[in-house]
Amino acid sequence: MVSRLSKPIPKGLLAVALLIGLAVLLPMLYLVLRAAQAEPSQLAEIVLRPRNLYLLGNTLALLAGVIVLSTLLALPLAWITSRTNLRGKRLWTVLLVLPLAVPGYVGVFGFFGATGSGGWLEMLLGFPWPRPTGYLGALGVLTLFTYPYLFLNLRAALLGLDSSLEESARSLGYRGFEVFLRVVLPQLRPALYAGWLLIGLHVLGDFGVVSLVRYETFSYAIYLQYAASFDRVYAAWLSLMLILLTGSLLWLEARLLKNLTLSRVGLGSARRPSPVPLGAWSLPAYALMVLLVVGALLVPLTSIVYWLNQPAYPLELSSIKEALQNSAQAAAPAALLAALLALPLAYLGVRYPSSLSRLLERAAYLGYATPPLAFALALIFFSLRALPFLYQSLALLVLAYALHFLAEAIGPIRSALYQAPPRLEEAARSLGYRPLQAFLKATFPLLRRGILASMALVFLSAVKELPLTFLLAPAGYSTLSTRIWGYTAEAMFAEAAPYALLIVLFSAGLVGLLLTQERR
Amino acid sequence: MNALNTERPTVPSTALPPVLQVQGLSKRFHPSLPPVVDQVSFAVGPSEVFALLGPSGCGKTTTLRLIAGFERANQGQVWIAGREVTRCPVEQRGIGFVFQDYALFPHLSVYDNVAFGLRHLRGRARKERVEEVLGLVGLTVFKDRKPGELSGGQQQRVALARAIAPGPKVVLLDEPFSSLDAALRQATRDEVRALLKQAGIGAVLVTHDQEEALSFADRLAVMRAGRLEQIGTPEEVYHRPRTPFVAQFLGRTNLIPGEAKGLEAETPLGRIALVEEAHGPVLLSLRPEGLGLAAPLKHLPQLEATVLTREFKGHDLTYRVRLGERELLVQESPESPFRPGERVRLVVRARAVVVGRNK
């Protein structure tokens, strides 16, 4: 379609889209401005502080550990649930994906509530289990609740592979495992990279888990600098370093994918290979799956149920209601705003694809990839400098949610736009409607479902979001997520349990929604 | 050859002023690429049906979109109902547009689709107009259905009803029959043509189907690589093609070189008559129905050919024969007895048309 390339973008649309892209990127600029406030003499000291290296080492060690461990879990699991004669593949797949519905800080609540003295494991077994803390604690919890990203990607890739390639390798004399290493694994690389990137962004952005298990990464250090020692210049520097790290991850992924020349095989064309009998491997396979289901689902759920039933403290329904209301009051307008901002970006990307529209969409993704703590800090500096009346206001929190989750909102609107042919708007134009009217009358009604899906995604994501809420909520404004974090940090598990239950329900809804969106 | 389109009048035969006039229209999508539409000029009279015919990629749809205003022309002007609209946005041009895939609004009923363009009408008047147009296309009983619940032919009629409801002077149709199956196509074509004539609306139809253009249009233009090669009535364009391309695009033909001497030319088929006077080396077009086969004669061995294939089609019969180095198509009556491999004599039954001048 040569004609698309040359079509000039309407000026109004372009201006709006540029403004939105700028809104995502502008706060970052203030982060730089704030960091630059350091005295020149101070600067070298800040940048070259040995502690930075320590934090970098910790962060990278966690990143590498979670990626390796997730791969060791997700790869065999993806293969078992797609290629073998395992019974109930669909059920196991759902069970193995469900841990996505447990945010990391709820996972920590689950393990903390189970272990230590007073945990339900002590009640059950008679002796207290050690609490997961430090590096191993962070590694374990983050792996358990993020490996499904990799699992989903790998499973989809395995199902999409053309089995004739494997068959031809076999006909050339390779045995089963050799075929996997030499033919299957190389083709799984795009899925691996995509899964690793998602997990990596999660680990770098995580605040809830590392702060609760007290493992010092960049995120945790930023929080400490900002909240405890009020050294905002150093916090800004740490944020920039974290953003740099995230940027390198994105760059690495793009580079790895660029060198990859796999002619991808479409889903429909490939013939399904006949399932491999598990045989003697059945037992280890089931053991691995049961272990994960127990660790990532049973432990948190048992903790919730157990602590809900502890009569020590009466449930304070009014304060639960307040937190629920606070969560909704911030998340609902954010959902509306995100959908509103996503609309012009998605429209530009679908109807006027160009390097500019791709750039604007990437700006939105950058906002999403930026670690939330750094993003929150950037917004704080921005509001203090440019719009002081926004500081410590609910509006700033709403804005933060909307800009951070903008990328999530673009997806469903974009797929809805692809289903609304541009001819419809042209038909409306030929019947006498001006461009904006034509869009509202002919295209907008068809986007309703996509917009609703976008709003639901952003709403649920915002409800379970912790670090943004933590830094940006007005003083005394506590939501479901901040309550769980606060009570868990104080080891008040009975108080945390009802909030954890609500969050798990909300996130289960989010996961269900994401999966149905992906299936489109 | 390319200058041929300027030799013929670009205005319709009727004396009334045209409802659509296009002058020197050009469109380039990229400065380094050749123009997609190159100096296109024509005019359409009131209630005249005009077809733009050409192979895919020749620029005919872009021409239509330039007239509608969906694309901006780099050069040239468009007048609709005597008003220059080259710089007007689509919605101010007063055209109706029927899309190839109809582009009916899936969220609106048939009634609301047709009423969509009638914003200037309110209440009674609007209802009456919608029902009038729905009656015209015979879809009154379907007015509450959604487009998805209609057959292809019905959708096509809704699209037409929606386009003509606001009362445009000219309707632009972009391959409107191509998504219908063959059985429905002819009937729908006749209906649409009758409707346009009844409503007195000028129409421009874009198509790559030569049979459709010949049977649907009052006049047609053959387009190739962005330029109009010939404009005329279906009969003119079919019987008097001006270029080899036009001759070949409108049905099968034999292109034969020759030396013209007035109303006759010397060719490998012997001396044959010409439709109009010419001199010097020429390229001639002779349709298969202008040739016939007969038993060979001893004294005319130079016109003796060999039958290569025989294609029996019921109502007629087409032979492919070889004469010297040349293969020719011959259309005969279905009773013609010759078989592949047999020797036959070529008989020229019609006058040839000069489609080009050889150097």
Side-chain angles (χ1 to χ4, degrees):
Chain A
M1 273 286 162
V2 189
S3 64
R4 292 256 181 89
L5 290 173
S6 66
K7 220 167 193 180
I9 304 170
K11 285 195 190 72
L13 177 64
L14 186 65
V16 170
L18 281 174
L19 219 60
I20 295 167
L22 200 65
V24 179
L25 297 178
L26 194 65
M28 314 284 180
L29 192 69
Y30 278 83
L31 205 56
V32 177
L33 282 180
R34 188 73 202 213
Q37 280 179 352
E39 302 287 324
S41 56
Q42 209 187 347
L43 195 67
E45 191 269 323
I46 285 180
V47 176
L48 300 173
R49 216 175 267 189
R51 197 175 139 72
N52 297 347
L53 265 187
Y54 167 74
L55 290 174
L56 181 67
N58 271 1
T59 308
L60 285 180
L62 187 60
L63 185 66
V66 174
I67 282 180
V68 169
L69 200 56
S70 311
T71 311
L72 289 179
L73 291 175
L75 195 56
L77 287 174
W79 190 77
I80 291 168
T81 55
S82 63
R83 290 300 185 86
T84 66
N85 64 346
L86 175 85
R87 277 164 168 250
K89 283 196 209 82
R90 190 157 291 194
L91 178 68
W92 279 113
T93 304
V94 172
L95 285 176
L96 290 170
V97 173
L98 267 181
L100 276 188
V102 183
Y105 56 89
V106 175
V108 177
F109 156 82
F111 277 95
F112 278 17
T115 55
S117 65
W120 53 267
L121 276 171
E122 189 188 12
M123 300 294 147
L124 217 62
L125 304 167
F127 58 91
W129 276 44
R131 285 234 156 110
T133 54
Y135 177 73
L136 288 179
L139 174 67
V141 173
L142 281 173
T143 303
L144 272 183
F145 301 104
T146 54
Y147 85 88
Y149 288 118
L150 189 58
F151 169 71
L152 276 174
N153 269 308
L154 287 174
R155 190 171 177 274
L158 275 170
L159 287 175
L161 283 189
D162 190 350
S163 64
S164 59
L165 287 176
E166 288 160 64
E167 283 162 4
S168 57
R170 269 172 194 279
S171 73
L172 293 169
Y174 288 92
R175 275 178 301 131
F177 192 63
E178 289 173 329
V179 173
F180 185 79
L181 279 186
R182 287 168 165 262
V183 177
V184 177
L185 204 55
Q187 295 192 80
L188 292 181
R189 273 186 294 170
L192 274 175
Y193 297 156
W196 285 345
L197 180 68
L198 277 175
I199 291 177
L201 291 178
H202 247 262
V203 171
L204 290 181
D206 173 73
F207 161 74
V209 175
V210 290
S211 60
L212 288 172
V213 303
R214 299 189 183 282
Y215 178 67
E216 279 199 76
T217 58
F218 273 118
S219 287
Y220 190 34
I222 293 168
Y223 164 71
L224 287 179
Q225 286 306 322
Y226 177 76
S229 39
F230 296 100
D231 185 349
R232 296 191 168 176
V233 175
Y234 187 45
W237 274 106
L238 288 175
S239 300
L240 284 179
M241 291 177 201
L242 184 56
I243 289 177
L244 199 69
L245 202 59
T246 311
S248 333
L249 203 66
L250 290 168
W251 175 82
L252 195 69
E253 142 108 2
R255 229 192 118 77
L256 285 173
L257 279 180
K258 203 176 179 183
N259 293 336
L260 220 59
T261 47
L262 295 179
S263 57
R264 287 240 185 140
V265 179
L267 269 173
S269 67
R271 198 169 48 79
R272 284 283 168 85
S274 51
V276 179
L278 274 172
W281 287 95
S282 301
L283 206 63
Y286 279 109
L288 182 64
M289 291 190 295
V290 168
L291 187 78
L292 277 173
V293 171
V294 167
L297 291 179
L298 214 56
V299 169
L301 290 180
T302 311
S303 276
I304 290 174
V305 173
Y306 174 82
W307 287 106
L308 271 177
N309 286 309
Q310 288 306 304
Y313 304 93
L315 270 181
E316 282 183 63
L317 275 179
S318 64
S319 82
I320 294 176
K321 208 179 133 207
E322 189 206 331
L324 196 61
Q325 248 173 16
N326 283 349
S327 282
Q329 258 172 30
L336 193 68
L337 184 60
L340 214 62
L341 297 179
L343 205 54
L345 289 187
Y347 190 82
L348 196 69
V350 171
R351 293 289 156 83
Y352 303 94
S354 65
S355 44
L356 180 69
S357 66
R358 272 189 294 279
L359 200 72
L360 283 170
E361 268 184 39
R362 280 213 192 132
Y365 281 99
L366 212 61
Y368 190 57
T370 307
L373 269 184
F375 195 74
L377 215 55
L379 271 171
I380 287 175
F381 296 147
F382 167 69
S383 67
L384 281 176
R385 269 278 191 100
L387 308 159
F389 59 90
L390 269 183
Y391 181 62
Q392 279 280 319
S393 72
L394 186 61
L396 188 64
L397 181 62
V398 169
L399 189 68
Y401 285 156
L403 292 180
H404 185 63
F405 294 118
L406 186 55
E408 266 185 9
I410 290 178
I413 294 181
R414 184 175 29 205
S415 24
L417 262 174
Y418 275 121
Q419 283 166 15
R423 302 269 172 273
L424 291 181
E425 261 169 80
E426 291 180 351
R429 294 288 303 280
S430 74
L431 293 166
Y433 288 78
R434 275 180 282 125
L436 189 64
Q437 290 174 315
F439 168 78
L440 289 176
K441 281 274 196 171
T443 305
F444 190 74
L446 305 178
L447 301 184
R448 237 177 259 156
R449 285 181 58 140
I451 290 172
L452 277 180
S454 288
M455 284 173 43
L457 279 179
V458 175
F459 178 83
L460 294 170
S461 300
V463 164
K464 66 178 255 202
E465 169 58 34
L466 178 68
L468 284 180
T469 323
F470 213 82
L471 252 61
L472 294 173
Y477 192 90
S478 62
T479 65
L480 296 176
S481 55
T482 58
R483 289 256 170 113
I484 299 173
W485 189 88
Y487 285 133
T488 305
E490 305 286 331
M492 294 161 77
F493 304 120
E495 283 83 349
Y499 301 104
L501 178 67
L502 285 172
I503 282 285
V504 167
L505 290 178
F506 272 117
S507 347
L510 176 65
V511 172
L513 199 66
L514 275 172
L515 291 183
T516 51
Q517 281 296 320
E518 247 166 49
R519 208 156 293 161
R520 292 264 169 86
Chain B
M1 261 192 294
N2 280 336
L4 280 174
N5 59 339
T6 53
E7 286 177 12
R8 286 187 80 83
T10 56
V11 288
S13 44
T14 46
L16 292 164
V19 288
L20 169 70
Q21 193 172 354
V22 173
Q23 194 64 53
L25 210 57
S26 294
K27 174 73 178 173
R28 221 178 252 277
F29 281 124
H30 196 275
S32 66
L33 295 172
V36 179
V37 175
D38 192 6
Q39 295 292 324
V40 164
S41 305
F42 64 88
V44 178
S47 73
E48 185 185 28
V49 177
F50 187 84
L52 274 174
L53 173 67
S56 63
C58 73
K60 56 192 190 301
T61 292
T62 305
T63 306
L64 204 67
R65 293 174 61 82
L66 287 170
I67 297 169
F70 295 137
E71 312 276 354
R72 278 290 153 91
N74 298 115
Q75 263 179 50
Q77 285 99 43
V78 178
W79 284 272
I80 290 170
R83 186 168 66 102
E84 210 217 298
V85 294
T86 319
R87 305 260 149 243
C88 274
V90 182
E91 62 270 20
Q92 288 169 20
R93 294 195 177 196
I95 46 118
F97 202 102
V98 177
F99 293 86
Q100 187 171 4
D101 52 5
Y102 314 142
L104 297 176
F105 303 118
H107 58 293
L108 299 179
S109 66
V110 167
Y111 181 95
D112 289 330
N113 262 285
V114 176
F116 196 86
L118 299 172
R119 286 185 306 163
H120 56 286
L121 295 179
R122 287 271 164 266
R124 252 315 258 289
R126 185 179 164 108
K127 188 163 180 288
E128 277 172 5
R129 176 63 183 159
V130 174
E131 283 178 350
E132 182 191 342
V133 178
L134 279 177
L136 212 58
V137 296
L139 282 175
T140 312
V141 290
F142 296 111
K143 67 176 196 283
D144 294 324
R145 295 236 189 135
K146 289 280 168 69
E149 299 165 335
L150 300 178
S151 71
Q154 290 164 339
Q155 289 182 8
Q156 150 50 254
R157 280 185 280 166
V158 177
L160 185 69
R162 185 180 68 181
I164 63 175
K169 290 277 181 291
V170 56
V171 173
L172 310 173
L173 306 120
D174 183 9
E175 307 239 5
F177 309 113
S178 63
S179 25
L180 299 175
D181 57 62
L184 207 58
R185 205 174 297 161
Q186 185 59 50
T188 312
R189 225 144 58 188
D190 295 345
E191 274 172 28
V192 169
R193 190 180 148 82
L195 252 163
L196 289 170
K197 291 286 173 195
Q198 196 183 337
I201 301 172
V204 180
L205 169 89
V206 153
T207 180
H208 63 266
D209 179 342
Q210 43 99 3
E211 208 181 298
E212 182 166 298
L214 290 175
S215 66
F216 189 79
D218 298 320
R219 282 189 314 133
L220 60 94
V222 182
M223 198 164 179
R224 180 198 189 191
R227 300 187 71 108
L228 297 189
E229 293 229 330
Q230 190 172 357
I231 302 178
T233 63
E235 291 80 1
E236 279 168 358
V237 177
Y238 185 81
H239 292 301
R240 301 276 185 96
R242 295 252 140 195
T243 69
F245 173 79
V246 173
Q248 282 179 309
F249 196 71
L250 288 170
R252 303 200 278 191
T253 196
N254 299 299
L255 293 179
I256 303 153
E259 184 73 28
K261 289 168 186 154
L263 277 169
E264 280 182 332
E266 281 303 334
T267 72
L269 276 65
R271 180 176 288 251
I272 60 180
L274 298 182
V275 168
E276 55 193 12
E277 208 169 305
H279 293 277
V282 286
L283 190 64
L284 303 172
S285 162
L286 199 53
R287 300 248 177 235
E289 57 265 33
L291 288 174
L293 297 187
L297 288 175
K298 283 270 157 51
H299 65 275
L300 271 175
Q302 71 273 31
L303 279 185
E304 221 169 83
T306 312
V307 176
L308 293 174
T309 61
R310 179 181 197 268
E311 193 186 333
F312 180 70
K313 288 181 287 188
H315 51 82
D316 58 33
L317 179 59
T318 306
Y319 288 107
R320 203 152 57 81
V321 302
R322 177 182 288 140
L323 177 77
E325 292 297 297
R326 198 170 300 278
E327 284 185 12
L328 297 165
L329 291 170
V330 181
Q331 190 167 313
E332 264 291 355
S333 61
E335 302 86 39
S336 181
F338 305 106
R339 297 281 153 188
E342 281 182 51
R343 302 288 290 169
V344 288
R345 178 170 51 95
L346 275 168
V347 181
V348 180
R349 291 175 175 158
R351 289 183 295 169
V353 185
V354 178
V355 292
R357 292 170 207 279
N358 279 3
K359 275 149 257 136

